[in-house]
Amino acid sequence: MNEIILMTISGKDRPGVTAAMTAILANFSVNILDIGQAVIHNTLSLGILIQVPTEAGASNLLRDLLFRAHELDMHVRFEPVNPEDYEQWVTGQGKSRHIITLLGRRISALHISRVADIAARHGLNIDNINRLSGRVSLQESQAESVRTKACVEFSVRGIPPDASALRQAFLQAASDYDVDIAFQQDDIYRRNRRLVVFDMDSTLIEAEVIDELAKEAGVGEQVAEITEAAMRGELDFNASFRKRVALLKGLDVAVLDTVAARLKLTEGAETLVSQLKQLGFKTAILSGGFSYFAKGLQQRLGFDYVYANDLDIIDGKVTGEVTGEIVNGERKAQLLREIAEREGLKLEQTIAVGDGANDLPMLSIAGLGIAFRAKPLVRESAKQAISTLGLDGILYLIGFRDRDGIIS
C-alpha cells in the first residue's frame, strides 16, 4: 500500500533547494499530494505531502533526502499521515473559504492574535497568512511623520455559525486597536471586480463642498449643522439638501473657482484611481454634491462617469436652486445598477465607496461596499470599512500586494 508522508524542510533560503529535493522525489516516482512554500526574512519553510509507491521503498527515499538536506545545510523532518486523516482533509477542502484582511498603520502581535482568536472562536481555520504590504525600514517605521501602511491577509476555511456575531467581533476589535478588519467571501467575483464608484465629498476629497461654499456665503454654521444631521441619517437627504442650497442664494459664481482651488484630495485617492485605470477598471463619481466640482475631479483623475447635482446659476449668481433630479441615496444605487449594466457587469463585480448615510443604498448592493472614514452608523451598516489608511488601502481588499508594483 502507498505511504503518505508529510515532509518539511527549513533553513537558510537559497536558489536550488526546491529543485534538489524534488529531483530526488522524482527519482522514486513520488506523487505530490500538496505543496507549500514560504520565505520569511531569508528563511525557507517548504512543506510537501508525498505519496510513495510501495515498490519505491520509503526507507531508501528518506535516506537520500536526509543526505541531500545535510549537503544543503537544511533541516528536514518526516511525519507519516494516516490515509483516513488524508481523506478527511481532502473533504474539508470543499468548505467555504473567506479572506480576512487586517489593515493599519502598523500591525503588532496583538492585532494578529486578536484576529486569529476571533476566527478560531467562530469555527474558522486559518490555511494561509500573507503579508500584502511592503517591508518598512526601522527608521521609517519609528518616524511619527511617516504615514506607513501595513496589511496582512488570512485565508480561512469554514462557515461561521453566526455571521453577524463574527462581524461584530471584528468591528469591536478594529475599534479597540485602531485597525481595520475586512471579512469577505473568497470567490471568483472578488478577483474579478471591474467597476468602482465613489462618493465625492469627504471621500475623494477631504471637505464637504457645500460647507465650504456656505462659509463663503456667511452661513457656514447653519449649513454645517444640517449637513452633519443628514450624514448621520437624521434628516431626509432631499429636504436637507434643498434647505442647504437655498442658503447659498446670491453667491457669486467666482466663489466656485476659489473653493475648488483649495480642495484637497483624500490620502491615496490619486494613487488608487490611477492604478485602477491601469488595471482596466471603470470608475465613476456618484455624488450628492455639485457637478461643477465633480467634473473638475474627472478632468484631474480621469473618471469614466460623473453624476452629481447641477447648481442653478443666473447672471453669475447662485439662485439657491438645483436643476434636474437630485442625486440622493436611492439615485446613487440606481446609477450603480445602470453603469454596471452598460458595462456588461454583474453587481458582484462592482465596488462602492462612501462615507455618509446617503451612500448606504449603493454600498449595500455593490459586490464590495466600503464605508471610508465613515460615521459610526454607516461603518456598522456597510459590508466593509476603512478608517485607518487612505483610499489606496482598497487595493489590499481586492488582493493586490505592494510588490505587484500597484500600490505605492
Side-chain angles (χ1 to χ4, degrees):
M1 184 176 179
N2 295 343
E3 291 187 65
I4 300 176
I5 299 172
L6 175 60
M7 177 175 69
T8 54
I9 302 159
S10 61
K12 184 177 180 180
D13 186 40
R14 62 172 65 86
V17 173
T18 303
M21 302 302 283
T22 53
I24 295 174
L25 298 178
N27 290 337
F28 286 82
S29 301
V30 167
N31 183 31
I32 304 294
L33 299 176
D34 195 17
I35 185 169
Q37 177 175 307
V39 177
I40 299 178
H41 197 60
N42 208 33
T43 299
L44 169 72
S45 178
L46 170 63
I48 309 178
L49 189 63
I50 61 176
Q51 185 181 36
V52 185
T54 302
E55 62 274 15
S59 59
N60 292 332
L61 169 64
L62 301 188
R63 179 200 62 203
D64 289 359
L65 289 169
L66 282 167
F67 281 139
R68 193 71 180 99
H70 178 72
E71 292 172 351
L72 295 168
D73 194 26
M74 305 294 288
H75 301 284
V76 61
R77 64 188 296 269
F78 306 101
E79 179 182 349
V81 175
N82 186 291
E84 287 75 20
D85 292 338
Y86 173 75
E87 291 299 331
Q88 185 177 5
W89 174 80
V90 169
T91 302
Q93 296 310 295
K95 289 186 177 180
S96 178
R97 289 184 175 275
H98 293 82
I99 296 293
I100 302 171
T101 312
L102 172 63
L103 309 96
R105 294 297 177 183
R106 294 171 178 81
I107 290 177
S108 70
L110 178 61
H111 302 145
I112 300 289
S113 173
R114 185 69 180 271
V115 169
D117 178 65
I118 292 172
R121 286 192 286 108
H122 288 81
L124 300 174
N125 185 70
I126 299 173
D127 284 340
N128 294 292
I129 302 177
N130 293 300
R131 174 177 51 85
L132 303 188
S133 54
R135 294 177 180 174
V136 179
S137 72
L138 293 177
Q139 291 81 3
E140 187 177 1
S141 67
Q142 292 167 359
E144 292 297 326
S145 60
V146 177
R147 306 186 85 173
T148 58
K149 294 181 293 186
C151 178
V152 173
E153 181 184 89
F154 303 76
S155 176
V156 299
R157 178 166 29 94
I159 302 175
D162 188 338
S164 178
L166 172 64
R167 187 175 182 281
Q168 286 302 314
F170 281 143
L171 277 173
Q172 186 62 55
S175 175
D176 289 345
Y177 301 113
D178 196 24
V179 294
D180 295 314
I181 304 171
F183 182 71
Q184 304 176 62
Q185 182 82 29
D186 188 15
D187 56 22
I188 190 171
Y189 293 116
R190 177 176 179 264
R191 299 180 290 278
N192 286 280
R193 314 283 191 204
R194 285 295 174 267
L195 168 65
V196 188
V197 302
F198 298 88
D199 172 48
M200 180 176 67
D201 297 59
S202 297
T203 300
L204 286 171
I205 57 176
E206 293 183 351
E208 291 285 334
V209 170
I210 197 168
D211 291 351
E212 297 301 308
L213 293 175
K215 292 175 186 175
E216 297 292 334
V219 291
E221 290 187 8
Q222 294 168 260
V223 168
E225 289 177 5
I226 301 171
T227 298
E228 276 297 307
M231 291 300 100
R232 291 193 301 266
E234 297 172 3
L235 292 176
D236 169 75
F237 181 83
N238 283 21
S240 66
F241 183 68
R242 291 190 185 280
K243 188 175 181 181
R244 287 176 286 169
V245 173
L247 291 171
L248 302 179
K249 184 177 180 179
L251 189 67
D252 194 285
V253 71
V255 173
L256 302 184
D257 287 331
T258 302
V259 170
R262 69 173 183 247
L263 294 177
K264 292 183 179 180
L265 288 175
T266 299
E267 176 193 359
E270 194 164 6
T271 297
L272 173 62
V273 177
S274 65
Q275 300 294 3
L276 288 173
K277 290 184 70 63
Q278 287 185 40
L279 292 165
F281 282 74
K282 294 293 183 179
T283 56
I285 296 175
L286 307 183
S287 173
F290 303 114
S291 57
Y292 178 90
F293 302 93
K295 287 177 180 177
L297 285 180
Q298 182 181 32
Q299 293 178 351
R300 179 175 178 181
L301 300 180
F303 285 92
D304 298 290
Y305 299 92
V306 168
Y307 293 91
N309 299 300
D310 293 319
L311 275 171
D312 186 45
I313 298 173
I314 297 178
D315 297 330
K317 301 288 185 180
V318 173
T319 67
E321 301 286 341
V322 291
T323 61
E325 184 177 357
I326 291 177
V327 181
N328 57 19
E330 290 69 30
R331 178 64 175 151
K332 287 186 179 187
Q334 179 187 354
L335 288 167
L336 172 55
R337 292 182 187 275
E338 290 177 3
I339 297 171
E341 184 176 356
R342 191 177 311 164
E343 295 293 338
L345 302 172
K346 294 178 178 292
L347 282 173
E348 289 87 349
Q349 294 177 274
T350 67
I351 300 172
V353 188
D355 73 300
N358 65 318
D359 295 312
L360 283 173
M362 73 174 183
L363 298 185
S364 67
I365 66 170
L368 177 61
I370 303 169
F372 179 74
R373 298 182 181 176
K375 310 297 185 293
L377 170 67
V378 181
R379 191 165 58 247
E380 292 171 9
S381 301
K383 297 173 186 175
Q384 313 296 344
I386 291 181
S387 299
T388 60
L389 299 185
L391 278 171
D392 52 348
I394 290 170
L395 290 167
Y396 293 133
L397 296 190
I398 52 181
F400 290 100
R401 305 166 182 259
D402 284 2
R403 71 183 185 210
D404 294 329
I406 300 299
I407 308 170
S408 59

